[in-house]
Amino acid sequence: MSDRLSDADIYTLSPTCSFEQEGEGVVVFDAGGGMYWRGNSTARLVLELTVRGCTRADAVDRLEREHGPSAGVRDDVRGLLAVLIKARIVKRSA
């Protein structure tokens, strides 16, 4: 599998992680590493879509429907997923 992120990639939540909505954002707990991670409303939406088997393109489309078109939304979602992958909160499905 390439390290390059694609709009068609499907992501899954790490089996050691769980998350809960907190206000408009999200709190993720990694039971494997004993770490907490906090994110904003965009991170919450991307995580919610991730556990439903949605692609990055699905997340971008949903954000643009809810907040209007934005030139940087695709890059923002790509960056967020890269951070979530590095933190081992999500992983790309094979």
Side-chain angles (χ1 to χ4, degrees), residues 34-53:
M35 303 283 289
Y36 283 93
W37 182 85
R38 292 185 188 276
N40 62 16
S41 60
T42 299
R44 180 182 53 81
L45 177 63
V46 171
L47 279 169
E48 288 172 353
L49 292 172
T50 295
V51 299
R52 294 184 192 139

Side-chain angles (χ1 to χ4, degrees), residues 10-59:
I10 304 264
Y11 301 88
T12 57
L13 189 66
S14 170
T16 63
C17 291
S18 61
F19 68 94
E20 294 291 330
Q21 182 171 341
E22 179 181 67
E24 296 204 5
V26 65
V27 174
V28 179
F29 176 63
D30 178 1
M35 303 283 289
Y36 283 93
W37 182 85
R38 292 185 188 276
N40 62 16
S41 60
T42 299
R44 180 182 53 81
L45 177 63
V46 171
L47 279 169
E48 288 172 353
L49 292 172
T50 295
V51 299
R52 294 184 192 139
C54 294
T55 65
R56 185 176 77 200
D58 295 329

Side-chain angles (χ1 to χ4, degrees), residues 75-86:
D75 290 337
D76 290 347
V77 171
R78 179 185 298 126
L80 173 61
L81 284 168
V83 168
L84 295 174
I85 289 167
K86 185 173 182 178

Side-chain angles (χ1 to χ4, degrees), residues 3-11 55-57 78 81 92:
D3 286 339
R4 185 180 165 122
L5 300 179
S6 162
D7 278 351
D9 287 340
I10 304 264
Y11 301 88
T55 65
R56 185 176 77 200
R78 179 185 298 126
L81 284 168
R92 283 188 292 174

